[in-house]
């Protein structure tokens, strides 16, 4: 019965979780793109006059990467808080069915 109830609730909230998962995947992809840009082969085969410009660009991308990491962290915390608040009623039902406070989710 508990499995059936949890499966039904999971089907109801699949839209919220899919948006959360897609946003996280997109954020990690952007983060990886910023961090791997300076090690690309095209960046290594440039003339000496553009090396200084590329060094400046890499340092700026480092700052943008930190910003993306902060935004991604805030997004994870906010989305987790949002999803937990939406499921408080469901957690209460699970705890009632288990008859105790030591329910592991």
């Amino acid at each position: 019965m508990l499995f059936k109830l949890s499966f039904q609730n999971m089907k109801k909230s699949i839209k919220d979780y899919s948006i959360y998962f897609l946003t996280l995947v997109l954020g990690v992809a952007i983060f990886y793109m910023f961090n791997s840009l300076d090690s690309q082969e095209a960046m290594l085969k440039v003339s000496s006059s553009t090396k200084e410009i590329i060094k400046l660009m890499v340092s700026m991308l480092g700052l943008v990467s930190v910003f993306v990491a902060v935004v991604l962290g805030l997004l994870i915390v906010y989305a987790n808080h949002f999803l937990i608040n939406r499921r408080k009623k469901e957690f209460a039902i699970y705890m009632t069915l288990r008859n105790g406070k030591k329910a592991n989710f």
Side-chain angles (χ1 to χ4, degrees), residues 22-76:
L22 270 153
T23 305
L24 287 178
V25 167
L26 183 67
V28 169
I30 291 172
F31 188 71
Y32 176 75
M33 182 185 70
F34 282 143
N35 287 332
S36 68
L37 193 61
D38 61 339
S39 63
Q40 296 295 321
E41 197 170 319
M43 294 289 192
L44 299 175
K45 296 181 181 180
V46 294
S47 65
S48 61
S49 63
T50 58
K51 281 188 179 183
E52 291 182 26
I53 295 172
I54 290 177
K55 285 181 184 179
L56 178 65
M57 184 185 72
V58 167
S59 65
M60 293 301 287
L61 284 177
L63 294 174
V64 171
S65 179
V66 169
F67 176 73
V68 168
V70 168
V71 169
L72 191 60
L74 290 173
L75 174 71
I76 290 170

Side-chain angles (χ1 to χ4, degrees), residues 84-97:
I84 292 296
N85 279 341
R86 273 186 83 132
R87 295 187 65 198
K88 276 186 179 180
K89 190 176 189 181
E90 180 183 345
F91 289 153
I93 292 171
Y94 290 155
M95 288 181 74
T96 303
L97 288 174

